[in-house]
Amino acid sequence: MLVLSKRIQFSAAHRLHNPALSEDENRRLFGECNHPHGHGHNYEVEVMVEGRPDPVTGMVMNLRTLREILEREVLARTHYKSLDEAGGLLDGRLSTTENLAIAIWDAVRPHVQPARLHLVRVKESENNVVEYTGPELA
Amino acid sequence: MLVLSKRIQFSAAHRLHNPALSEDENRRLFGECNHPHGHGHNYEVEVMVEGRPDPVTGMVMNLRTLREILEREVLARTHYKSLDEAGGLLDGRLSTTENLAIAIWDAVRPHVQPARLHLVRVKESENNVVEYTGPELA
Amino acid sequence: MLVLSKRIQFSAAHRLHNPALSEDENRRLFGECNHPHGHGHNYEVEVMVEGRPDPVTGMVMNLRTLREILEREVLARTHYKSLDEAGGLLDGRLSTTENLAIAIWDAVRPHVQPARLHLVRVKESENNVVEYTGPELA
Amino acid sequence: MLVLSKRIQFSAAHRLHNPALSEDENRRLFGECNHPHGHGHNYEVEVMVEGRPDPVTGMVMNLRTLREILEREVLARTHYKSLDEAGGLLDGRLSTTENLAIAIWDAVRPHVQPARLHLVRVKESENNVVEYTGPELA
Amino acid sequence: MLVLSKRIQFSAAHRLHNPALSEDENRRLFGECNHPHGHGHNYEVEVMVEGRPDPVTGMVMNLRTLREILEREVLARTHYKSLDEAGGLLDGRLSTTENLAIAIWDAVRPHVQPARLHLVRVKESENNVVEYTGPELA
Amino acid sequence: MLVLSKRIQFSAAHRLHNPALSEDENRRLFGECNHPHGHGHNYEVEVMVEGRPDPVTGMVMNLRTLREILEREVLARTHYKSLDEAGGLLDGRLSTTENLAIAIWDAVRPHVQPARLHLVRVKESENNVVEYTGPELA
């Protein structure tokens, strides 16, 4: 199997705060990440697609096409923005790195055919990374 | 001359917006960095001090001491916060990387004696860096 | 499946030397790594746990909790130490990167529940990495 | 399962050009990568082998041996060369990163026994990576 | 003094070959870098300008403007090209990293005013870097 | 001025311990770095030389020559060794990063002529760096 990966980066603000919980409970669960004015990160995202190389082009997928999909579906909705904005990529879900990886998977998956989405990796900071390989099959 | 450098990192939100200017002028000058909900970065800061090694310890300055100064003077006022908060490190100045480097210089300089502050480097993102070596002497 | 990863680093000395073998045999097998006074590395360790995000917190596991486990079970027994010390994490086993990855797996696995340990990656130097995914099931 | 990984780097020129297609078709498919004078990269390659640690050495495979295999089978045929040279590692195949990963797999696989080749990762640039895990079994 | 730095990258082919010398002399002086089919690199370039922050914008220079200068003066003439092409940035000079740094300095310097060009750093590979701070004053 | 830089790496053990001081004083001054069995690092060293490019080769100095000097004068005396060994590069001086930078300067300086040694940078770990530019002139 061949897996092709494209890395992008975006700079976004966010705050971990669940409105269904009390202020105290939010502080206890999320600690500094619940700070009222928010904080931010340079997120690094790697999107991996799998497939066979085309016999004419020798490519699983044209990396320019993959880059354009990521610009439209991810960067345009996150770069220089807040992840907690209404109508954004997370659309009201808690902006944990886990939920962000799932949201990127859902936004990108329909557009990479005939290649298949393989893995989404989100690096929030030098030491914290999440990987998502899609929902489990029934 | 010997220069000793300590790197720290913090994750902060910010927005470039000069309240003395109109909305249009802010958008024109700062572009995406003026987005109303702000964005954020993983800032990397290197603080360099210069001096001679102590004959007993072989050190210009104990790196634990330098780390403690940076935790108290920089990290406690920036990590998981917004750079635009009232009373923060920038205290109302525009949160450009240039101003951030100057503010870190001013906050750290009085505490590193007898070593001398040599350079403050602030890396806002993979491609953007500012270095400050202090005010010009008259 | 969601995989959450935390990176830590420690600086340790070690020497590859099997006391069951002759000096010559040790030199032949381990080369420079058998040098009598030892050498050392800045080890980078990534510990990955897998699970589902909690519906209230949006997290597979709180990264502060994972960090505390790694500080207690790994860093306290390796950072600024020799991997070959009696009673250390390796407890007398040869301090190859392979054995170190297995020892970290065994030390961390009981503490991450209800998440499951997924992979331990140990980077000994820029070019040398070991990954361990646990013992094979019968 | 234990996986041991060695990273190497080489600097090579290449050009994407399929001689079975017209000039126009080549430009349309490969864009800037079809530029007539070629371009080049610092390629980073990670070769991963899997196995069990030897009870005497604690190693899956001696990293010096793996390094020597990669020097002979990969570096000697690519470093400071063009990937499109006749008789080179790619031997006339289009020099996409996908085909390069397959060619490295085929060149290295026979030499790592009794360990098994696990994965070949080729990083063409900071944002573009290909991984290959071998041909699918019938 | 404040120094603002922008990093760019380009992927180019090149060959070290001085046509005024014999084939033997070229091989002796340049070794593998004289290989007839050329090789290539992912070059990393940092361009640093110095100045004072504008009191209205808090910036030494708008990084978008600096990026545009570098795209036009450097990337358009090097990315996905050969450094040895006629009419290129080096215009017939030997494509050493030293000459490349000087050529980038000369191409960028007239466009950054009122800021002053401070330093050009060219990283040819992980271990090889050149820095240029302009011609010595008489 | 042109500055040419070569990066090398070595893996060494060391311990901070001044035999002229008591055990207690050593522990107080050096903390964990005084641990009796020592620890270690992957040291990254950048050696920078300055000069003018040769009109025939376009080079300040041949990087192969600089690499050979560093292998002989630095790597052969540090890689896979302890910095505290008798007769080593530090020859009994305390193995602080400051003293290591000075020792590398003294070992390399006589060999780079007609280029001049410009700066020695030693990165002990991701966050700790020392730079040395030679003894002050009288």
Side-chain angles (χ1 to χ4, degrees), chain F residues 63-94:
Chain F
L63 278 167
R64 279 177 296 165
T65 310
L66 183 51
R67 171 84 200 174
E68 286 160 11
I69 293 168
L70 298 178
E71 283 176 353
R72 191 183 65 230
E73 302 296 330
V74 181
L75 293 181
R77 302 161 78 185
T78 54
H79 198 22
Y80 290 118
K81 293 188 164 51
S82 166
L83 298 182
D84 303 321
E85 291 176 37
L89 186 63
L90 283 160
D91 200 21
R93 274 171 289 176
L94 262 172

Side-chain angles (χ1 to χ4, degrees), chain C residues 11 28 39-40 61-63 79 89 103 106 108 124 132:
Chain C
S11 296
R28 196 184 62 76
H39 62 288
M61 183 175 179
N62 195 311
L63 276 168
H79 197 23
L89 186 63
D106 290 342
V108 170
E124 185 201 69
Y132 183 55

Side-chain angles (χ1 to χ4, degrees), chain F residues 38-62:
Chain F
H39 62 288
H41 299 288
N42 300 323
Y43 289 91
E44 284 183 48
V45 176
E46 283 173 90
V47 172
M48 302 186 185
V49 299
E50 64 184 58
R52 294 158 190 251
D54 180 287
V56 173
T57 64
M59 295 172 171
V60 168
M61 182 177 180
N62 195 311

